[in-house]
Amino acid sequence: MNPLALHRGRPLRVLHGCYEIAGQGMMLARGLAENGCEAHSLAYRVDWDGRRPDFVVELDRRRGAAGKAAAMLGAFLRWGRHYDVYHFHFGTSFFGTPFFKGSRGSPLSRLRQIDLPLLRAMGKRIVFHFHGCEVRSRERMLAAHPLATCTECDPFCVPREQERTRALAAKHAGLVFYSTLDLGESVPRGIHLPLAIEAERWERAALDRPLPEPDRRDGVRGPVVIAHAPTHRLIKGTRHVQEAVERLHAEFPRVELRMIDRQPWAAMPEFLSGCDILVDQVMMGWYGLLAIEGMAERRTVVAYLREDLRSHYPDCPIVSAKPATLHAVLRDLVRDPARRLALGERGARFARERHDTKVVGERLLRHYRAMLGADAPGAAQGGAAAEPSRVSAA
């Protein structure tokens, strides 16, 4: 057991909830458990990708607002006392879910996130963890950057809700995290916590399904499969990926674009093992979970990385490309199998050293320890664990 995991003579108890965004509640709970904590994950829905946390309360199966509120109350009564730290993802809590956004003005709206002051009154510590459009400031991103997640997106974010969520975090949370570096501007007093994966799972998939004749895979003598998973086509810049690959066909007849959309998470290792190049996104400015999984499988990964962010991870082997440069970047990679193999090896090391559950779990545990050493349960962003906008790779 990691000594940092001890709390009052027993393992530190942590619950991640109440929404699984890219499986990060699950992965972080596992990473903490690998370091000796008693950590679990809770979600109010099993999403289309099939990721299943430790505890599930299916709100969608409850009838009406009263039924959903009763289920949330049941979850709070069952799990709201046992843990020391409650780590809430995507702006949720026991009584804070997307369900409540449509209930403004109703009696139920008064219950929204009423659990936060109650948890603090019981001496619990609260952590908020942001992952994307629940907090990303569209106005700021469009004003500050010629290319961003918001550039071509058909907006579904609600600025009023984002401000409310940020205010709740400032009032109740001892720590505030964000998962990709581009979110730092929208979470000005947050801490960057890298996304976590079980690196061994993806490494094993690549070893079990090696690409045949890798030296001949140059788009002419052998195939080159370019993969893309457009979970949100406007945010990821999918049309630019399609246009770039279409241009490549004239010179490289054996280039193939293979897309996977809304497929179960369990199918992703096999999908990635069959590709040579993975294009994650060409708009956001940083890389997401798919890129990390691709690196772990020793695949060459392409994504747009902003220059002002890249210095935080100078050893990152992702090849940067934006819509205007994507065709040229892919052309160079297609014709150079040796470079792709070298990038793949670097990517596997990077994914394991920076993003494996145990590594990220220990990093998170150190932040918890600093928070637990603060004077008051609600010492928002206080102490050494929560310096403004700290995004270093250390």
Side-chain angles (χ1 to χ4, degrees):
M1 173 188 286
N2 189 326
L4 293 171
L6 286 175
H7 181 65
R8 298 174 180 172
R10 55 162 173 78
L12 179 69
R13 299 168 180 165
V14 184
L15 182 69
H16 284 258
C18 292
Y19 179 67
E20 278 297 342
I21 180 73
Q24 286 306 288
M26 296 165 50
M27 293 296 104
L28 292 175
R30 291 177 191 178
L32 291 167
E34 288 176 296
N35 282 281
C37 295
E38 180 188 332
H40 299 98
S41 53
L42 162 69
Y44 284 151
R45 173 186 298 145
V46 176
D47 231 330
W48 57 265
D49 56 16
R51 290 180 171 97
R52 193 169 190 88
D54 298 306
F55 311 133
V56 179
V57 177
E58 289 277 11
L59 287 190
D60 293 340
R61 297 182 181 177
R62 307 299 175 120
R63 291 187 177 182
K68 290 176 170 60
M72 294 177 192
L73 176 60
F76 178 75
L77 293 175
R78 182 175 180 181
W79 292 297
R81 297 183 62 87
H82 178 71
Y83 295 91
D84 307 299
V85 176
Y86 290 84
H87 189 132
F88 293 124
H89 295 264
F90 211 71
T92 66
S93 70
F94 283 108
F95 284 93
T97 76
F99 159 72
F100 273 116
K101 291 183 179 179
S103 59
R104 189 169 180 264
S106 76
L108 278 178
S109 66
R110 298 176 185 176
L111 297 177
R112 189 172 175 190
Q113 292 183 304
I114 194 174
D115 53 313
L116 298 179
L118 293 176
L119 288 169
R120 290 182 65 200
M122 292 189 294
K124 309 299 183 181
R125 300 302 180 99
I126 295 169
V127 175
F128 266 50
H129 198 148
F130 297 119
H131 296 274
C133 296
E134 84 279 23
V135 73
R136 183 182 285 112
S137 171
R138 175 179 170 82
E139 181 180 8
R140 180 181 179 87
M141 299 308 289
L142 291 176
H145 304 286
L147 192 62
T149 298
C150 309
T151 302
E152 295 184 358
C153 181
D154 182 11
F156 52 88
C157 52
V158 182
R160 182 181 63 251
E161 292 290 342
Q162 293 174 326
E163 286 299 324
R164 181 187 178 281
T165 300
R166 277 190 284 263
L168 283 170
K171 182 176 182 180
H172 296 293
L175 288 170
V176 178
F177 294 109
Y178 54 90
S179 59
T180 58
L181 284 178
D182 64 297
L183 289 172
E185 297 165 76
S186 301
V187 191
R189 290 188 61 82
I191 304 167
H192 175 234
L193 186 74
L195 292 160
I197 68 166
E198 293 174 306
E200 183 181 357
R201 175 177 184 245
W202 304 89
E203 292 169 0
R204 188 170 57 249
L207 293 173
D208 290 345
R209 304 178 185 88
L211 290 170
E213 298 185 288
D215 294 341
R216 295 179 58 85
R217 299 177 72 90
D218 61 3
V220 178
R221 295 176 300 161
V224 174
V225 177
I226 299 174
H228 181 62
T231 47
H232 194 296
R233 290 173 178 253
L234 294 177
I235 287 178
K236 286 214 168 188
T238 298
R239 72 178 180 90
H240 302 291
V241 178
Q242 293 171 315
E243 291 169 2
V245 175
E246 184 62 31
R247 288 179 62 191
L248 290 173
H249 284 153
E251 186 176 356
F252 304 101
R254 300 190 68 180
V255 164
E256 173 192 349
L257 176 61
R258 191 175 297 173
M259 297 206 295
I260 186 168
D261 195 0
R262 296 183 72 86
Q263 293 296 311
W265 182 56
M268 290 304 295
E270 182 175 359
F271 170 72
L272 292 178
S273 70
C275 75
D276 299 89
I277 301 169
L278 171 65
V279 182
D280 181 17
Q281 57 74 31
V282 293
M283 308 291 289
M284 188 170 78
W286 200 240
Y287 61 90
L289 187 70
L290 181 68
I292 302 166
E293 294 166 346
M295 284 190 287
E297 288 209 29
R298 291 178 168 80
R299 299 305 177 243
T300 298
V301 177
V302 176
Y304 169 50
L305 305 182
R306 277 172 28 196
E307 287 301 320
D308 61 313
L309 299 179
R310 187 146 200 170
S311 61
H312 296 294
Y313 288 81
D315 57 335
C316 177
I318 291 175
V319 182
S320 183
K322 58 182 74 174
T325 63
L326 183 58
H327 171 261
V329 166
L330 289 176
R331 183 179 183 273
D332 288 343
L333 290 171
V334 166
R335 65 197 298 190
D336 195 345
R339 183 187 176 203
R340 297 201 307 267
L341 289 171
L343 286 168
E345 292 299 320
R346 288 175 55 198
R349 290 194 300 271
F350 182 85
R352 178 169 282 278
E353 292 171 1
R354 299 289 190 184
H355 294 284
D356 186 59
T357 49
K358 189 170 184 179
V359 173
V360 181
E362 181 174 1
R363 183 170 176 170
L364 177 57
L365 182 55
R366 291 183 182 278
H367 285 299
Y368 287 165
R369 295 310 318 174
M371 174 181 66
L372 291 165
D375 292 333
Q381 289 81 53
E387 299 169 6
S389 300
R390 188 166 65 189
V391 296
S392 71

